[in-house]
Amino acid sequence: MPIAICPLPSPPPLPMSHDPLQILSERFLDAMRGAFGDRLPEGADPMIAASRNPQFGDYQSNAAMPLAKALGMKPRDIAAQIVEKLDLSGVAEPVDEHTIAGPGFINIRLDRGALAGLLDALDSPDLGIEPPESPSTIVVDLCGVNLAKQMHVGHLRSTVIGDTIARVFERLGHRVIRQNHLGDWGLPIAMVTRAVMDRAAKGEIDLDAIDLDELDALYKSAQKSCDPESAGEAAAENLARAKTTLVALQSGDAETVAAWKRISDITVNECVAVCARLHATVLPEHTAGESTYRDELAGIVDDLLSRGVAEESRGAVIVDLKDAGIAEPLLVRKSDGGFLYATTDMAAIRRRVQKFGGDRIIYAVDARQSLHFRQLFAAAKKAGYAKRPDGTDAQLDHAAFGTVLGEDNRPFKTRTGENVKLADLLDQAVERAGAAVKEKNPDLSPEDQRIVAEAVGIGAIKYTDLANDRVRDYVFSFDRMLAFEGNTGPYLQYALVRIRSILRKAKAEHGVDEAALGGDGAMLRIEAPEEKDLALLILRFPGVVRTVADSLEPHRLCGYLYEVSTAFSGFFQNCPVLRAQDDVMRLSRLRLCRLTGRVLESGLETLGIVALDRM
RNA sequence: GCGCGCGUAGCUCAAUUGGAUAGAGCGUCGGCCUCCGGAGCCGAAGGUUGCUGGUUCGAGUCCAGCCGCGCGUACCA
């Protein structure tokens, strides 16, 4: 098909996207083709971006500079020729002396009518995020609790970050499969199972009534009893009994399996309850314990050996990864014949890609396991376990996160060096939030205060965890996250509360129903600078959600929502809504409020943070 | 030793994946309530982005080498 050398006299009228980045990209690409024709390099990018500084317009194209070399021209001349062919009718203001600036930046200012039109188009049920033409299947590994152990801060990050990543892909219309890779197999599990069975036999515990706190204590004492350092002579015998229990468990001994199952149920129930309180979608059906792979492990190793992917070394079986640039091999079988977590993880990749149809497998796991995942991913690809039906490999990502630190900059622990129980941490946040709510809004009923405290306290913890750059460590501080100032969860919740308050009042005092504000009910008029700032931000929403999906960095959504909230505050301060000069302006501003509120609602929902009517 | 990560205002953190004059909050100083929720808004001061080179029109961002901190590094998970 021949390429049109001449610029089209008018842009194609349809389809009209509401994403300015896309519209401008198309217009600029047309202009670039018009200006340079066949000389335009393959894949030349208009490089449209929202401008950081209002003085440089609303959007800018940085296309001219990279083209300088290929075209053998000065960037400013290139920019001039692009602008010459540029048709921005119906989108942006005409060019002026500021259009080309610096080395060759092309600055664009949307015209007010187009801005309103774009906002209007975005004001759809999906807020400008259309379902993908072909949805992908995304598997998210999250939570990762261990049998007979309470959830602690380490699980907080995996659960919160993993759930948010899952929500982002769901928001974009993809199919998401959550996997809680429960640590329910192996020698440590056998130790605690043995301990539980012994105590039950002696009548010291009641298996029907035992709770996770007791199991947690038993887990620790069982570990100690097998450690020569603390148990001395008895350790060897205890360890031997644990190994015997492991064999019994593996061979399906009814009594052992029953005890193990009971421990598992208690753990999963408690985990699901904590996750529910965290407002994170982790349900019993997402549980995929290591035990569910137990029958595949021998086959995995045999398969790897028979195809030459793995080899024997020092009595163990390894996958050599030097060709992938990794010095350390992946161990898939110990010299005593036992399997390792790497073996299980290999089986998990195979299941997730080849059985579940995963296109992208994402692990929300501590950064300290980086090497393990580099090895695992390389080995899985080498073995072909990540291969999709079309022959290409699924994308494997380790969404690594840093450590939660205490005020002393050491990993967050109690004074005695124990892990902090996650449920206790949540209680404390809710209690502190409750005190603040009581002080700031004493008129709320006790019941409402309780609901608000729960949403604010939990939201504050989650938001802090999500708002920091994922891979960095961060310092846990109730005071900072509950200060209700700056980039915090409560600030976003408050911004939304104010919006909802206005909408309630609009109905009560002006009879304006919220539903009537969509579509033709209220014409948008974007005039004041604060209105324009807010409008431009709202238009960025779909792009931000996609960026989070690409980068797996939820903090980008947090930062964006914070910007929307501050822009709304500026608007709210300077632009009277209910007391606007006339009905048209009032309706326009109410609609802008509602649209802002919908972006915040959708954003908070994607972060898994509860939106409130009052606080 | 080797590998991975991090280093940005006094403190806690951003910076549209290489774009223009590095931005927020806290703290400090100064303003804004006959006004839709003040848990708010506006302003001021505060920076050699750990150091030194390099790549290019352009570097907090990429590369190399140092410095500092953290975490890993063959049979725990």
Side-chain angles (χ1 to χ4, degrees), chain A residues 56-77:
Chain A
F56 301 129
D58 306 327
Y59 291 86
Q60 63 187 59
S61 163
N62 304 331
M65 286 78 77
L67 287 175
K69 203 157 254 177
L71 295 173
M73 295 168 60
K74 290 182 191 162
R76 274 196 84 103
D77 294 342

Side-chain angles (χ1 to χ4, degrees), chain A residues 328-564:
Chain A
E328 298 87 345
L330 184 76
L331 262 78
V332 292
R333 195 174 73 194
K334 298 192 282 184
S335 52
D336 69 2
F339 305 112
L340 301 101
Y341 75 138
T343 326
T344 306
D345 281 337
M346 288 286 275
I349 288 184
R350 189 173 67 172
R351 179 190 294 175
R352 292 167 183 187
V353 176
Q354 301 189 345
K355 186 171 169 198
F356 294 165
D359 298 299
R360 190 172 179 184
I361 319 297
I362 299 165
Y363 292 82
V365 178
D366 198 300
R368 284 174 293 196
Q369 298 205 33
S370 291
L371 174 60
H372 169 66
F373 282 108
R374 285 206 300 134
Q375 294 174 298
L376 178 67
F377 295 166
K381 285 175 181 171
K382 196 168 174 172
Y385 291 168
K387 211 167 279 302
R388 295 183 292 179
D390 71 358
T392 62
D393 281 332
Q395 188 176 343
L396 307 176
D397 287 303
H398 176 202
F401 53 79
T403 307
V404 181
L405 305 175
E407 306 272 12
D408 59 356
N409 270 318
R410 299 296 308 161
F412 194 73
K413 295 275 169 73
T414 63
R415 278 167 228 87
T416 55
E418 301 278 301
N419 280 323
V420 179
K421 194 173 148 187
L422 182 52
D424 292 344
L425 205 63
L426 301 183
D427 284 341
Q428 230 184 112
V430 170
E431 191 185 323
R432 289 181 187 235
V437 172
K438 203 167 186 174
E439 183 201 326
K440 306 271 188 189
N441 199 346
D443 296 339
L444 280 181
S445 71
E447 173 63 6
D448 281 346
Q449 283 186 14
R450 199 192 59 76
I451 292 169
V452 170
E454 183 79 14
V456 170
I458 303 282
I461 285 188
K462 292 185 76 174
Y463 192 83
T464 302
D465 203 85
L466 293 166
N468 286 287
D469 188 355
R470 211 188 55 224
V471 301
R472 288 175 43 141
D473 298 347
Y474 76 89
V475 177
F476 190 94
S477 161
F478 280 120
D479 286 340
R480 204 169 296 125
M481 67 180 71
L482 287 165
F484 305 144
E485 281 138 0
N487 188 10
T488 66
Y491 180 89
L492 300 195
Q493 287 170 320
Y494 176 64
L496 183 54
V497 161
R498 291 208 290 185
I499 291 171
R500 289 183 170 177
S501 174
I502 290 184
L503 294 173
R504 277 197 303 270
K505 199 162 270 188
K507 185 173 170 81
E509 296 179 3
H510 298 268
V512 178
D513 199 85
E514 203 185 316
L517 290 170
D520 301 329
M523 205 175 68
L524 281 162
R525 288 171 56 190
I526 306 302
E527 290 172 2
E530 291 86 359
E531 292 174 304
K532 187 173 176 182
D533 289 347
L534 191 52
L536 285 169
L537 268 170
I538 288 170
L539 289 178
R540 279 172 45 193
F541 177 67
V544 168
V545 178
R546 289 197 185 89
T547 300
V548 174
D550 290 341
S551 64
L552 307 180
E553 292 179 341
H555 80 276
R556 293 175 183 275
L557 178 56
C558 296
Y560 167 78
L561 294 174
Y562 178 58
E563 275 190 84
V564 170

Side-chain angles (χ1 to χ4, degrees), chain A residues 258-306:
Chain A
W260 170 82
K261 185 73 172 60
R262 177 77 188 129
I263 299 168
S264 176
D265 288 346
I266 291 167
T267 307
V268 171
N269 287 344
E270 178 79 12
C271 171
V272 166
V274 172
C275 288
R277 195 175 178 203
L278 266 176
H279 207 63
T281 307
V282 177
L283 306 172
E285 61 259 39
H286 299 136
T287 305
E290 293 178 331
S291 61
T292 65
Y293 299 98
R294 65 191 175 214
D295 295 334
E296 301 173 36
L297 303 184
I300 292 263
V301 174
D302 289 345
D303 177 48
L304 295 176
L305 280 172
S306 70

Side-chain angles (χ1 to χ4, degrees), chain A residues 47 86 126 182 205 209 309 323 329 354 427 516 569 577:
Chain A
M47 298 184 68
L86 194 58
D126 59 16
L182 180 71
I205 55 171
V309 177
D323 53 355
Q354 301 189 345
D427 284 341
S569 287
V577 177

